[in-house]
Amino acid sequence: MRKLIAAIALTTAVTAATTTAASAAPAAETTRHQNLHAWTLLNENGPGPNPGERLTALVDARNTDGRARGHATVQHVFPGNHIVRVEFSIDCLTADGGAVTVTGPIDSIHFTVPAGETPPPAAPSTWHPETGLTFYPADGNGGRRVGLAGANALDYSAPAKATKCRPTEPDTWVIQGGFSLRR
């Protein structure tokens, strides 16, 4: 159980990243027709591989006439096969300066633990805090980043850290995959 709590704490550190000055102004483009498809393998420790862990983000979102819809899944697999999967519905899709942001309320959090271990308590049925992902274009060195923001996966009374339609600071590195925004 201690391993699971440590694993969840690590995931919480990633999903509870606070929004910063980069989120001071809303993203510029929200009313155009847009489709975002993304799959990324991420590393919160740097641009290289992260043996023993697998952090992925999967997004399928569309914005038609200013109304965003879609679904996103962020999953973190830890050593020992401890898994935390967060799913959320997209209620905002914006693009600003090459960065693309999706935000929305958490639909569910799923914990998977090895046989014989007790998972953390389930979230209350009324708990749906805003969470978000921001995909950034490659920098001058070809490095790509993603920002994650959300709520504490173990403290259901804690408020969400994401703000609807606002980008989040890049805090993870893309190891594989990427995103495609079509207009």
Side-chain angles (χ1 to χ4, degrees):
M1 186 65 176
R2 286 185 181 163
K3 273 181 128 177
L4 177 61
I5 297 300
I8 292 169
L10 183 56
T11 297
T12 299
V14 171
T15 59
T18 58
T19 55
T20 63
S23 64
E29 190 179 323
T30 59
T31 58
R32 296 180 62 175
H33 296 290
Q34 303 170 345
N35 290 308
L36 173 67
H37 299 285
W39 178 87
T40 54
L41 175 62
L42 303 168
N43 184 348
E44 60 207 343
N45 300 313
N50 193 13
E53 291 188 28
R54 185 170 178 87
L55 176 59
T56 57
L58 174 67
V59 178
D60 184 17
R62 64 202 158 285
N63 190 350
T64 306
D65 296 327
R67 181 160 185 226
R69 290 182 228 155
H71 185 79
T73 302
V74 176
Q75 180 169 289
H76 202 158
V77 179
F78 297 92
N81 206 29
H82 292 91
I83 302 169
V84 179
R85 186 176 76 236
V86 176
E87 298 186 31
F88 65 97
S89 295
I90 306 299
D91 63 9
C92 186
L93 166 60
T94 62
D96 186 18
V100 179
T101 299
V102 292
T103 61
I106 290 178
D107 293 325
S108 62
I109 293 182
H110 304 277
F111 298 101
T112 303
V113 297
E117 290 190 27
T118 304
S125 62
T126 57
W127 190 74
H128 301 286
E130 190 81 6
T131 192
L133 292 160
T134 300
F135 297 89
Y136 289 89
D139 62 20
N141 297 323
R144 296 171 296 151
R145 304 284 299 271
V146 173
L148 299 168
N152 184 329
L154 289 178
D155 182 0
Y156 301 129
S157 65
K161 301 295 183 192
T163 303
K164 186 173 179 176
C165 297
R166 305 241 183 193
T168 59
E169 183 177 325
D171 56 4
T172 60
W173 287 261
V174 176
I175 306 304
Q176 289 180 339
F179 72 93
S180 170
L181 179 68
R182 294 194 179 153
R183 300 169 193 213

